[in-house]
Amino acid sequence: MVNVRKGVRVSLTCFLVFTLLLLAACSNSGKNEGNTSSGAANTPEQTNTNTGGTDEPEPSDEPVKQVKLRVMIYDRGNAPEGMKLTDAPLVTWAQEQVKPLGIDLEMVPV
């Protein structure tokens, strides 16, 4: 009975230590915060030029180099008749979402 209690204590202690280390590693170290001093003027590098308030990069006029990415899809043979697995709505949506990022998504049924 004493060995069981000791094992539970050791397990809980290890879990607590691991959780604290994980939280410490994932915490924000404050490097992404802007200059908060009131006397400093914003330089062009510090000024956010986006009007929407997001940190997304602005689109450029240069074409994005397309990279082909092949993703395996497990084909269980249960696709509706007349429809291929690679033409599924979710697959086409995923292809549309990554196209502006320069990724040509190719689904390969296996």
Side-chain angles (χ1 to χ4, degrees):
M1 186 70 174
V2 175
N3 288 337
V4 173
R5 286 185 185 171
K6 185 177 180 180
V8 170
R9 285 183 187 168
V10 169
S11 297
L12 287 176
T13 304
C14 290
F15 178 74
L16 181 62
V17 168
F18 176 73
T19 304
L20 290 175
L21 287 175
L22 183 65
L23 289 174
C26 294
S27 68
N28 188 1
S29 62
K31 292 180 182 177
N32 293 334
E33 295 178 10
N35 189 357
T36 57
S37 63
S38 60
N42 285 338
T43 61
E45 294 82 23
Q46 293 173 341
T47 306
N48 188 2
T49 58
N50 291 339
T51 57
T54 61
D55 290 335
E56 297 177 5
E58 292 192 22
S60 63
D61 293 336
E62 4 179 303
V64 178
K65 183 180 176 186
Q66 293 289 324
V67 176
K68 183 171 243 177
L69 178 65
R70 292 185 179 158
V71 179
M72 294 187 298
I73 300 177
Y74 182 62
D75 187 5
R76 292 178 238 149
N78 59 355
E81 191 170 321
M83 182 178 182
K84 294 191 297 183
L85 185 63
T86 57
D87 296 333
L90 190 59
V91 171
T92 56
W93 176 83
Q95 290 171 338
E96 292 170 1
Q97 294 298 313
V98 298
K99 185 68 90 176
L101 300 174
I103 300 172
D104 182 23
L105 195 61
E106 179 185 351
M107 300 293 183
V108 180
V110 291

